């Protein structure tokens, strides 16, 4: 593993820490991330959260390390290790989940890899300034983990030169706040599975053509949404990667979701674990041998996940002799869109880039050489975080059934941080690609076992 923090990284760390100490104060301090929260969560003052995003953009902390080949679209140059440093300091400061996660960490790398110069010039600067927020239109009611089975269609209007999009997306994080959505839709009549798909950039402000319906979660929040497209318009110049190449672009995007953000996520996990351990000591639950053993296991597994993430990032920095091998995409391996942006999200998906079409443009950064690494990471953290949620309520005993305040007609659904952690973590092994999907990817793509029947 060749991944270490040097003197320049530590100077960068001091700069990041000083900036956060100076700016994450006043009204922004009220947005401090709580245990059990996640980047895409719809809690807190959304106006204040948007203002915080703009503060980050003004400070030059959005778009770190974006490829400057075609222009300085981001605000600040940064190495991979410096990006990790910033993410670690941001998490340690308890700064709020990023509303701009999807645009900055998912769409931007995709445009740098597959977009043309006009698309990069149009969309990257507003993302870096936090002027435009994005959501992701992938999953559908009958095509969540089976993304290749999507039915949303985009028909080209030869007269206007636009696409008219009709269909439904689901589990779309923060769609109710987003200004734009990148949508995977079927543009070739009669096409099936991963063929005939295109990647379109769609403005969300289209009354009568786009309807957003929030989905209420167990936690009482509604960060995920159903999105209905009824003739929504997308310009032809906002098609990324070429007509019919959407699957390749979509898989490249999914591959970038498990990078620096994995280490950031683990810092949040460590903070949550520390709170659970303190609670176990306060309640005396830590005296119970079995429970104490489970707490120690959680700590050891988190350390192992960190070293695995560092190993994967170190491998990603090494040149890949075959960065874009032609291979057939597995038709049932794309994940569900409900996620943590933090980084969601944030998030969080699992497939390496690749396409059977040699004419499709390839990403500049091939990502981890180990095809199974993202799936292994997802399996590790999903189960780990779910077990932590169970521990959080177990150490409280019967008191875990009580809310922090008496429910009233005005506030009928009040939960404390540990209850939110327990309830939301039930979804950790489902969203971002279910455990079953991850095991199938590892079996077929890494171990080369016989493919599962998909009739």
């Amino acid at each position: 593993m060749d991944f270490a923090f040097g003197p320049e990284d530590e100077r960068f760390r001091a700069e990041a820490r000083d900036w956060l100490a100076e700016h994450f104060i006043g009204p922004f301090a009220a947005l401090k991330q709580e245990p059990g929260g996640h980047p895409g969560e719809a809690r807190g003052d959304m106006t204040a959260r948007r203002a915080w995003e703009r503060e980050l953009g003004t400070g030059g902390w959005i778009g770190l390390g974006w490829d400057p080949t075609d222009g300085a679209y981001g605000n600040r140059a940064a190495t991979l290790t410096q990006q990790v440093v910033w993410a670690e300091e941001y998490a340690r400061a308890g700064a709020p989940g990023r509303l701009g996660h999807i645009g900055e960490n998912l769409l931007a790398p995709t445009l740098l890899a597959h977009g043309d110069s006009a698309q990069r010039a149009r969309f990257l600067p507003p993302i870096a300034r936090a002027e435009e927020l994005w959501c992701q239109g992938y999953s559908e009611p009958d095509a969540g983990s089976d993304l290749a089975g999507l039915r949303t269609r985009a028909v080209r209007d030869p007269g206007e030169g636009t696409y008219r999009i009709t269909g439904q997306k689901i589990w779309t994080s923060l769609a109710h706040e987003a200004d734009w959505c990148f949508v995977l839709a079927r543009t070739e009549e009669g096409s099936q599975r991963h063929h005939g798909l295109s990647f379109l950039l769609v403005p969300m402000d289209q009354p009568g053509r786009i309807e957003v319906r929030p989905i209420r979660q167990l936690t009482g929040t509604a960060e995920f949404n159903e999105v209905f497209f009824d003739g929504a318009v997308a310009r032809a110049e906002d098609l990324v990667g070429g007509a019919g190449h959407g699957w390749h672009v979509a898989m490249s995007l999914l591959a970038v979701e498990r990078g620096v953000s994995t280490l950031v996520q683990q810092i949040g996990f460590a903070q949550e674990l520390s709170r659970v351990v303190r609670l176990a000591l306060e309640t005396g639950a830590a005296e119970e041998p079995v429970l104490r053993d489970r707490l120690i296991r959680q700590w050891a597994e988190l350390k192992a996940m960190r070293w695995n993430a560092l190993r994967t990032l170190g491998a990603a920095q090494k040149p890949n002799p075959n960065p874009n091998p032609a291979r057939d995409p597995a038709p049932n391996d794309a994940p569900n869109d409900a996620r943590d942006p933090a980084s969601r999200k944030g998030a969080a998906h699992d497939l390496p880039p690749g396409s059977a079409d040699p004419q499709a443009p390839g990403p500049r950064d091939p990502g981890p050489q180990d095809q199974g690494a993202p799936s292994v990471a997802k399996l590790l953290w999903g189960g780990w975080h779910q077990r932590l949620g169970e521990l959080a309520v177990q150490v409280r005993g019967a008191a875990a059934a009580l809310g922090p305040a008496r429910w009233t007609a005005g506030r009928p659904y009040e939960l404390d941080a540990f209850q939110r952690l327990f309830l939301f973590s039930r979804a950790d092994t489902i969203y971002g690609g279910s455990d079953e999907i991850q095991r199938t990817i590892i079996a077929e793509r890494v171990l080369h076992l016989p493919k599962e029947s998909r009739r």
Side-chain angles (χ1 to χ4, degrees):
M1 178 181 68
D2 183 17
F3 193 97
F5 299 118
E8 287 298 320
D9 299 322
E10 295 308 322
R11 281 191 284 271
F12 192 84
R13 185 185 301 280
E15 180 184 0
R17 188 173 293 176
D18 290 345
W19 188 90
L20 286 164
E22 181 181 350
H23 292 265
F24 189 49
I25 58 176
F28 296 137
L31 301 174
K32 191 175 181 67
Q33 182 84 5
E34 297 182 37
H38 58 98
E41 198 165 35
R43 289 193 297 124
D45 183 340
M46 285 299 180
T47 300
R49 290 181 67 181
R50 276 183 174 264
W52 173 245
E53 290 289 321
R54 291 191 293 272
E55 188 81 3
L56 290 170
T58 301
W61 297 105
I62 299 177
L64 299 182
W66 284 356
D67 190 340
T69 301
D70 300 301
Y73 302 116
N75 285 321
R76 189 187 301 259
T79 64
L80 179 60
T81 51
Q82 288 169 344
Q83 293 172 54
V84 173
V85 164
W86 162 250
E88 287 183 339
E89 292 306 315
Y90 188 90
R92 287 195 178 103
R98 293 289 314 286
L99 290 182
H101 161 74
I102 293 175
E104 179 185 5
N105 298 319
L106 300 186
L107 179 65
T110 302
L111 290 180
L112 289 168
H114 302 283
D116 58 37
S117 58
Q119 290 169 342
R120 292 193 286 269
R122 161 61 185 87
F123 293 108
L124 295 183
I127 292 174
R129 294 191 298 264
E131 294 173 351
E132 294 177 344
L133 299 180
W134 286 79
C135 62
Q136 175 174 339
Y138 272 22
S139 295
E140 299 185 6
D142 295 319
S145 290
D146 184 15
L147 183 60
L150 65 83
R151 299 178 182 178
T152 295
R153 297 189 176 277
V155 179
R156 179 75 181 270
D157 185 325
E160 297 181 1
T162 59
Y163 286 90
R164 296 281 181 167
I165 304 170
T166 302
Q168 177 186 357
K169 299 294 181 178
I170 197 168
W171 305 118
T172 309
S173 300
L174 295 176
H176 57 297
E177 293 289 336
D179 304 296
W180 286 79
C181 181
F182 49 89
V183 176
L184 193 62
R186 199 165 295 282
T187 53
E188 293 182 11
E189 187 67 30
S191 62
Q192 296 182 354
R193 304 303 299 165
H194 55 277
H195 301 289
L197 302 175
S198 294
F199 190 98
L200 293 157
L201 310 180
V202 184
M204 291 292 286
D205 187 14
Q206 299 191 47
R209 292 175 176 169
I210 298 180
E211 180 185 359
V212 178
R213 300 179 188 173
I215 301 172
R216 187 68 57 183
Q217 303 299 114
L218 279 173
T219 52
T221 57
E223 54 269 26
F224 307 130
N225 303 268
E226 295 178 283
V227 182
F228 297 86
F229 299 93
D230 186 8
V233 178
R235 302 185 307 169
E237 54 264 41
D238 292 339
L239 183 149
V240 180
H245 293 314
W247 182 261
H248 177 63
V249 177
M251 293 301 100
S252 176
L253 182 145
L254 300 186
V256 305
E257 291 194 77
R258 294 275 197 285
V260 172
S261 60
T262 300
L263 286 169
V264 185
Q265 179 189 56
Q266 290 169 9
I267 294 170
F269 286 173
Q271 293 171 340
E272 291 175 348
L273 176 59
S274 294
R275 292 184 178 100
V276 172
V277 170
R278 285 199 298 270
L279 181 62
L281 293 171
E282 292 169 2
T283 62
E287 298 299 320
E288 203 278 311
V290 173
L291 183 58
R292 186 168 63 249
D293 180 68
R294 289 185 61 189
L295 290 168
I296 293 170
R297 284 179 178 272
Q298 288 290 124
W299 177 85
E301 289 170 1
L302 183 59
K303 289 291 184 183
M305 284 195 291
R306 175 174 174 79
W307 290 117
N308 183 61
L310 289 170
R311 178 189 63 82
T312 301
L313 279 173
Q317 296 183 93
K318 298 177 182 178
N320 189 340
N322 185 23
N324 192 28
R327 55 179 176 268
D328 293 327
N332 193 34
D333 56 6
N336 192 307
D337 181 43
R339 72 179 120 286
D340 158 25
S343 283
R344 119 32 118 67
K345 64 185 276 294
H349 288 305
D350 339 87
L351 298 183
S355 171
D357 185 351
Q359 296 179 347
R364 299 179 186 182
D365 179 5
Q369 297 179 29
D370 182 356
Q371 292 186 41
S375 293
V376 169
K378 176 58 173 63
L379 282 171
L380 289 174
W381 76 253
W384 185 93
H385 201 227
Q386 196 171 85
R387 292 190 297 276
L388 182 66
E390 294 167 356
L391 275 171
V393 295
Q394 186 175 358
V395 297
R396 293 185 62 193
L402 300 176
R406 184 179 296 276
W407 289 8
T408 66
R411 305 185 70 176
Y413 204 85
E414 196 74 14
L415 299 172
D416 63 31
F418 292 112
Q419 289 167 332
R420 282 196 303 272
L421 171 60
F422 170 72
L423 290 174
F424 193 86
S425 65
R426 308 316 298 165
D428 283 341
T429 54
I430 302 174
Y431 74 82
S434 68
D435 281 9
E436 291 80 4
I437 294 298
Q438 305 317 315
R439 292 189 178 99
T440 297
I441 293 171
I442 294 169
E444 295 180 358
R445 295 193 170 198
V446 180
L447 302 178
H448 304 294
L449 298 176
K451 289 191 175 183
E452 180 183 7
S453 175
R454 296 184 175 90
R455 295 182 180 179

